[in-house]
Amino acid sequence: MLTMLRVLVFRYVLIFIGVVAAALSLIVFLQPLDIAPAGAAGAATLLNELFDTPIGLMIFVLNIPIQALAYKMLPGGSRVILRTVMLIAVLSLMIDLLSPLAPKGISEDRMLNALFGGLLGGVGVGLVFRAGATLGGTSTLALILQRRFGFPMSTTFLCTDAVIIMGAGLVYGWEGALYAAIALFIAGMATDYVLEGPSVIRTAMIITDKPDEIAALVFANLQRGVTSWTIKGRYTGAERTMLYVTIGRSQARELKEEVSSVDPKAFMVIGMGHAAYGAGFRRVRGDAL
């Protein structure tokens, strides 16, 4: 019971920090320098420039038809949409209430504002996603299209972001559109980093004629488990052994040296990974967020 309460509190702390970060990204870095963010916030920013409408209020208004559609088309929509609408309302209020108090652009350099605005906004969205919630807008629309029609979410985001960038070009000029594109790109990278974390592990596939010797060295010197299976080359028809091992990022160089010392002719591919769960790595429980 105590663990569940702790997880719940931690989740809502993440959501609060994420909403604050997303709001400050818009009102401190992006909007004062005429840079449109992604999604409904970007559309609301453009409407503010054209008609002087409150940004937060317009974010809420633009989300009404999207959330109504999600209520009808997503399974279990009422529970999910209620939480999303509450977050949208909090974000909208926070933007309109903090806007008169926040500094209007820490720097006059639009590039710096695009970079830091995108970074802060991406971190905010990532924290909200990590807590199992969304800030609505195009993320909800992408979820609908994915679940009902099989459209990749990345395609939906690409289309909506392209519309926002074109709108920014028409309203702020095409230089403004370029800055908006930079902010969107940085925000996407920051969101991915928050969700997936740094690439801290490496996975290696080793095709060798000396699997026992290499596995013994990996066990002894790297303290990592090894999986092996017999494979057959389609070109030569020869049967060999492939080893699979997951290691820490700092162990990649040592692994290459160990393999080379035993079998200089071994074929090895080392790939990047974001996280590993199980013996010797993270526990699945406790990393749910």
Side-chain angles (χ1 to χ4, degrees):
M1 185 68 178
L2 184 61
T3 301
M4 291 180 61
L5 180 62
R6 190 184 310 159
V7 169
L8 187 64
V9 170
F10 182 58
R11 176 175 290 127
Y12 279 100
V13 168
L14 282 184
I15 290 174
F16 177 76
I17 296 174
V19 170
V20 171
L24 291 178
S25 164
L26 178 61
I27 62 181
V28 174
F29 292 103
L30 300 180
Q31 189 268 337
L33 273 293
D34 295 338
I35 303 170
T45 302
L46 298 178
L47 291 173
N48 171 264
E49 180 68 19
L50 293 172
F51 307 110
D52 200 29
T53 52
I55 295 177
L57 177 62
M58 291 311 301
I59 290 175
F60 188 83
V61 170
L62 291 171
N63 267 283
I64 291 176
I66 297 175
Q67 301 309 317
L69 186 64
Y71 177 79
K72 293 183 177 180
M73 301 189 71
L74 290 179
S78 58
R79 179 177 56 84
V80 176
I81 300 311
L82 179 60
R83 182 169 58 181
T84 301
V85 169
M86 291 175 61
L87 285 180
I88 295 169
V90 172
L91 175 65
S92 301
L93 283 172
M94 194 168 294
I95 289 173
D96 286 344
L97 292 177
L98 292 180
S99 185
L101 306 176
K104 300 301 180 184
I106 293 179
S107 169
E108 294 183 0
D109 189 323
R110 293 182 80 185
M111 178 62 77
L112 285 177
N113 281 270
L115 293 174
F116 282 93
L119 177 63
L120 186 60
V123 168
V125 171
L127 290 175
V128 172
F129 281 168
R130 191 178 176 93
T134 76
L135 292 175
T138 53
S139 59
T140 301
L141 183 61
L143 190 61
I144 295 171
L145 294 175
Q146 181 201 44
R147 292 190 178 179
R148 294 304 295 267
F149 305 106
F151 291 178
M153 294 187 73
S154 58
T155 301
T156 304
F157 284 127
L158 179 63
C159 293
T160 54
D161 290 348
V163 171
I164 294 298
I165 291 173
M166 290 181 64
L170 295 173
V171 175
Y172 296 134
W174 294 111
E175 184 176 291
L178 295 178
Y179 285 114
I182 292 172
L184 292 174
F185 179 74
I186 296 298
M189 293 181 61
T191 300
D192 288 342
Y193 188 89
V194 171
L195 288 175
E196 299 178 0
S199 176
V200 297
I201 65 166
R202 298 292 182 264
T203 58
M205 291 182 291
I206 307 162
I207 299 175
T208 177
D209 292 323
K210 300 180 180 180
D212 294 336
E213 294 91 330
I214 291 176
L217 282 178
V218 172
F219 293 147
N221 298 337
L222 301 181
Q223 288 81 50
R224 297 299 182 191
V226 179
T227 301
S228 69
W229 58 91
T230 302
I231 61 172
K232 183 177 182 179
R234 302 306 301 176
Y235 180 73
T236 63
E239 289 191 350
R240 302 180 72 186
T241 300
M242 182 161 72
L243 305 177
Y244 179 85
V245 58
T246 301
I247 57 176
R249 179 172 54 188
S250 61
Q251 296 177 307
R253 182 180 181 85
E254 186 177 356
L255 176 66
K256 289 187 289 185
E257 292 175 350
E258 299 285 6
V259 172
S260 178
S261 66
V262 174
D263 184 3
K265 296 182 179 180
F267 180 80
M268 179 167 49
V269 177
I270 298 179
M272 293 191 299
H274 289 285
Y277 299 90
F281 293 95
R282 296 183 184 180
R283 296 190 323 178
V284 176
R285 184 180 301 173
D287 196 62
L289 294 178

